[in-house]
Amino acid sequence: APQCAVYTFNMSSAAQEGEMASLPCALIASCDPGFKEQELVKQILGAVDVPAPARQQGPVCWYPWTINNKYYTADVHLCVAPSPFEVTAEIARSTQALLVYFDSNTVSGLDGVAPWLAVVEDVAPEVLILVCERACESGVTRQRAQEWCLAHAFELVELSPEEIPDEDDDFPESTGVKRIVQALNANVWSSVEMKDERAQGFGLMSSLVAARHSSARHSQDTHPPRLPGEGADSSSEADGAGTGANTDTQIDTLVDPMIDMDIQELATLTAGDADEENFERLFTKLKEMKDKASSLPHEQRKLHAEKVAKAFWMAIGGDQDEIEGLSSEDDG
């Protein structure tokens, strides 16, 4: 079996400041030597050629992108990092999405993605997307790729899927790079600037997610992530003092990446027009989320339901004070 790489944060880069470092980023990586990350950057930007990076540090490049939709604008970076070893503390703090491309034509194609799971565990990006050109029956099948995604809370996106959604379908699914752009638009970035009162529901989600960003960044600053193979036999005092809290954090890390995008899509739907079509989409989405939750262990399922309920309540304009303090542990 292939060995998983162990990456470490280069803490010396944490001192770098300024606007470049403060913008959130979507981290893009490729595990296929025949596919360069810049190709995905070009497709996301809708550009004919790959633009010049706004910044380059060794093999790592930052490409500026302004997301502009009817709800908000947000300046972000598409950050290309060819290896987990290149993920510095600065990149980790700014990463809110991770896109990993793999070679689906070989049976072992998914093995190359394994080293990036350490990044997912420590950074917990809100958006996780596994990308390939097309699932392959002689390599990585769609079923196998989807099972992997379910196990690791990713979404599978094929750039050129063999099966195109039926145009006559009432709710056709987006595919290819269009789906990637859609998912990135559904995220509430920390640099978001809301447009007007029509986006009230999305604005409430912005406050909710921004608070989570702040909490996550504070946690990283005060307790730097302890990575695989790093300090395994030290800090016994900390191990003894926070076992319960650590367990809760582990559950949060497992559940959050899977539900963040769903919650944000719910916010988008509730901020839209109150018509029959929008309600049908809303309930379809709720059913999808219920099906996802059914695969979780009991404790994670309870936490999943609690987080979705709270976020949905706020997304439709509910008062946070009314749900403050409520949790799955408050049975009495």
Side-chain angles (χ1 to χ4, degrees):
Q3 296 295 316
C4 291
V6 176
Y7 78 102
T8 56
F9 287 152
N10 178 6
M11 297 306 293
S12 63
S13 67
Q16 299 185 19
E17 297 178 348
E19 184 178 357
M20 286 289 299
S22 65
L23 287 180
C25 77
L27 187 59
I28 300 176
S30 174
C31 305
D32 179 0
F35 184 92
K36 297 299 182 184
E37 295 89 350
Q38 280 79 359
E39 177 60 30
L40 199 51
V41 170
K42 185 175 70 173
Q43 292 189 39
I44 292 173
L45 296 178
V48 176
D49 299 308
V50 180
R55 175 185 173 193
Q56 185 166 356
Q57 184 175 315
V60 180
C61 296
W62 286 261
Y63 298 90
W65 182 34
T66 297
I67 298 176
N68 186 1
N69 55 46
K70 67 179 181 179
Y71 299 109
Y72 70 85
T73 61
D75 289 325
V76 304
H77 281 131
L78 301 177
C79 178
V80 167
S83 162
F85 292 104
E86 306 295 342
V87 178
T88 63
E90 174 193 338
I91 296 172
R93 280 194 298 270
S94 63
T95 295
Q96 294 179 22
L98 173 63
L99 289 69
V100 182
Y101 185 95
F102 77 101
D103 183 5
S104 57
N105 292 315
T106 62
V107 176
S108 60
L110 286 170
D111 295 346
V113 188
W116 287 97
L117 295 179
V119 177
V120 173
E121 181 179 352
D122 291 310
V123 178
E126 284 78 16
V127 180
L128 294 169
I129 301 178
L130 182 68
V131 187
C132 67
E133 187 63 28
R134 182 186 298 111
C136 179
E137 289 301 318
S138 60
V140 178
T141 65
R142 182 176 292 106
Q143 179 178 349
R144 184 178 161 211
Q146 288 176 334
E147 288 173 352
W148 187 97
C149 286
L150 183 61
H152 300 289
F154 276 68
E155 176 183 355
L156 175 66
V157 173
E158 298 172 83
L159 296 179
S160 303
E162 186 174 352
E163 297 179 7
I164 304 297
D166 187 352
E167 293 181 359
D168 295 330
D169 192 339
D170 290 336
F171 307 114
E173 293 183 359
S174 297
T175 60
V177 71
K178 181 180 179 181
R179 173 54 199 159
I180 293 176
V181 172
Q182 186 181 72
L184 294 176
N185 270 264
N187 185 48
V188 184
W189 300 87
S190 57
S191 58
V192 67
E193 292 186 9
M194 307 310 299
K195 286 190 172 180
D196 54 39
E197 66 279 359
R198 288 185 310 157
Q200 181 187 18
F202 211 94
L204 288 167
M205 280 304 301
S206 173
S207 300
L208 182 68
V209 176
R212 202 171 77 79
H213 289 323
S214 175
S215 174
R217 299 300 179 261
H218 175 72
S219 175
Q220 282 190 2
D221 290 340
T222 55
H223 303 287
R226 196 168 71 182
L227 306 173
E230 190 176 76
D233 57 354
S234 62
S235 190
S236 58
E237 179 181 347
D239 289 341
T243 304
N246 288 342
T247 301
D248 291 341
T249 302
Q250 289 169 359
I251 293 176
D252 278 348
T253 302
L254 282 169
V255 177
D256 277 350
M258 185 169 70
I259 67 172
D260 272 347
M261 190 183 302
D262 288 335
I263 291 174
Q264 288 152 21
E265 289 186 14
L266 278 183
T268 303
L269 289 170
T270 55
D273 297 331
D275 54 26
E276 182 178 352
E277 179 182 356
N278 208 42
F279 276 114
E280 287 181 0
R281 287 180 179 270
L282 180 62
F283 284 109
T284 298
K285 188 64 191 176
L286 287 170
K287 182 180 183 303
E288 290 176 4
M289 294 172 70
K290 179 181 178 182
D291 292 341
K292 281 185 184 179
S294 65
S295 65
L296 294 171
H298 177 66
E299 286 304 316
Q300 292 178 31
R301 191 160 61 246
K302 287 170 60 181
L303 182 59
H304 176 101
E306 174 189 325
K307 286 182 178 241
V308 170
K310 286 183 177 181
F312 185 62
W313 173 253
M314 292 187 67
I316 62 175
D319 189 346
Q320 185 174 6
D321 292 340
E322 296 183 35
I323 59 173
E324 196 69 43
L326 294 179
S327 73
S328 56
E329 297 177 356
D330 298 335
D331 297 329

